[in-house]
Amino acid sequence: MLRLLFISGVRKHILNTPRSYCRCVMPALTHVYESGPINSSLYPSGFILVHEERQCPNACVSLTFDAGSRYELAKENGVTHFFEHLCFKGTKKRSKSKIENEMNEIGGKFKCYTTREMIGFSAECLYENIPQALDLLTDCIFNNSLSNTEIEIQKCIIYQEMLQHDTDSLSILFDYIHTAAFQGTPLSQSVMGPSHNLYNFNSSSIAMYIEKMFVPPRMIFSCVGPMKQEQACNLANTYLNRNVPDPTISRQYRFTAGDIRYRDDSMHVAHIALTLEAPPFRHADYWPMLLAAMAIGAWDRSQPSGLNHSCTLAQAGGAGIFNSYEAFYLAYRDAGLWGVHFVSPRMEVDSAVSLMQGELMKLCTIITDSELIKTKLQMKWKILKENETIESACLNHAKWVFYTNFAPTIKEKFAAIDKLVADDVRRVCYEYVYSKCPVVTAIGATEALLPNSRLTGGMYWLRF
């Protein structure tokens, strides 16, 4: 009897104790959540300095430029990605071997990445070696030797990368999405560009592009580590303060609900994406749309499924209708793409599309606050992971300043998420998803995929 009373009292205590849903997140990454303020300042030459002081032995610096396939002419499409491969292959005063030796001496990690709207270069090393790392980084970017020998070598390497890219159905699907949604505008161009452009690149064409695009008014200098704000300013004045005018480059943008399908009957599955126009990164509806994408989430056959699963789509996956699915939100400076891509067996394509459109309609009409509790926690965990390392935090700060001219702290991001309610998700989904004509892209066994006119009919509900 005493044992039963004790157990009953413990259960009552547990039930009456208010839950702290961030308790599972906070202890592991408290140092990230409690990180200091993020300062940004505009220099007279036009570039922006972003700085966050964080107590750790390492420091990271990055240079992000407003350059990418969106700003390339058709004949030079792919040149930004090409320079990414050339960056650390030699400068006018350092050979390739000398660069590698200096990297090893300071124990630095140097990385590059290219997207449709930006290219970024980062260097991470011990705090004491940051001046040497930044000197090496700027020398590789602004004084690159553009060796003809290295250019020919990289042409072969990038061509092999293109061949590898063509075997990845997901990568091709997203290229099709941009081609269909932004047809006739530079935003439809792929990052690597067509192969016939690759063999026309030479040192003079690459140098002209660098001189035009890699200028201070189009640059963001980001620092994360134990350095003070004054030290970051001194580094900027020493290595980056150049007076170069900003070229006038227009950003053409037009959304078209296109349809691209590549039928390949040798494949046993269909890769399908339904995409809609969405608000840009700096728009007030960015957070609700991101929450809506997280509400759909992602699933594949390596994860649990079955009739007892809380997600309807995962239940369908367990029944063999889906092999995988994932929602996405690609936000650009003045445009955005929101949608879902999924993989379905040949004979289940129609059922998969119907179920997915039904899930989209639920977001537009009957999503509830209780269903968003877990989704908000997932968003917060993702934000913490994006800022866990100083390298990822450095690049993330630069991305936010690039799109919004402001880098919010993690606490400010969490506050924005906590303010969201189901009404916000229903409102934005009703505005951007409900009764809208989607961009349809598909690869593989697509014979059962209905025409666009029929698919558009599934983007609304007739209820009486």
Side-chain angles (χ1 to χ4, degrees), residues 169 262-271 346 443-447:
S169 299
Y262 178 73
R263 179 172 173 177
D264 184 356
D265 289 339
S266 66
M267 299 175 64
H268 300 291
V269 296
H271 298 258
R346 182 193 306 269
I443 300 171
T446 63
E447 66 269 29

Side-chain angles (χ1 to χ4, degrees), residues 31-40 49-56 60 222-229 232 387 389-390 393-394 397 408-410:
H31 65 288
V32 180
Y33 181 75
E34 299 291 346
S35 57
I38 303 170
N39 302 308
S40 59
L49 167 64
V50 188
H51 171 262
E52 179 194 349
E53 185 177 351
R54 189 178 287 190
Q55 297 305 316
C56 55
C60 182
S222 180
C223 308
V224 177
M227 69 186 72
K228 303 293 183 182
Q229 175 79 7
N387 292 271
T389 65
I390 58 172
C394 192
H397 297 343
T409 63
I410 294 179

Side-chain angles (χ1 to χ4, degrees), residues 253-361:
Y253 156 62
R254 182 183 66 249
F255 180 84
T256 307
D259 190 322
I260 298 179
R261 310 181 190 202
Y262 178 73
R263 179 172 173 177
D264 184 356
D265 289 339
S266 66
M267 299 175 64
H268 300 291
V269 296
H271 298 258
I272 303 170
L274 303 177
T275 312
L276 299 122
E277 185 178 14
F281 199 99
R282 67 175 65 199
H283 199 278
D285 290 336
Y286 171 77
W287 286 111
M289 289 299 288
L290 189 60
L291 184 63
M294 291 292 292
I296 294 177
W299 180 88
D300 61 47
R301 297 181 70 177
S302 66
Q303 300 176 23
S305 62
L307 297 177
N308 293 326
H309 199 285
S310 60
C311 178
T312 305
L313 295 178
Q315 293 177 16
I321 296 177
F322 292 104
N323 285 3
S324 66
Y325 67 83
E326 184 175 5
F328 62 88
Y329 180 21
L330 305 175
Y332 295 108
R333 177 163 287 189
D334 56 356
L337 296 173
W338 188 96
V340 289
H341 66 83
F342 52 93
V343 181
S344 180
R346 182 193 306 269
M347 303 306 295
E348 302 292 346
V349 168
D350 191 33
S351 299
V353 172
S354 178
L355 284 168
M356 190 61 70
Q357 289 184 313
E359 198 69 18
L360 297 181
M361 294 303 99

Side-chain angles (χ1 to χ4, degrees), residues 81-128:
H81 176 260
F82 194 90
F83 180 72
E84 176 192 334
H85 282 253
L86 279 178
C87 183
F88 301 115
K89 304 304 179 182
T91 70
K92 295 175 182 178
K93 64 179 183 180
R94 289 181 173 96
S95 64
K96 179 181 177 180
S97 59
K98 187 176 181 180
I99 291 174
E100 292 174 351
N101 290 335
E102 290 191 27
M103 288 179 178
N104 292 332
E105 287 175 3
I106 64 176
K109 293 192 296 183
F110 291 76
K111 295 183 180 180
C112 310
Y113 73 93
T114 310
T115 69
R116 283 178 165 81
E117 285 193 319
M118 68 178 78
I119 178 171
F121 308 87
S122 66
E124 180 185 355
C125 62
L126 290 173
Y127 160 65
E128 296 81 6

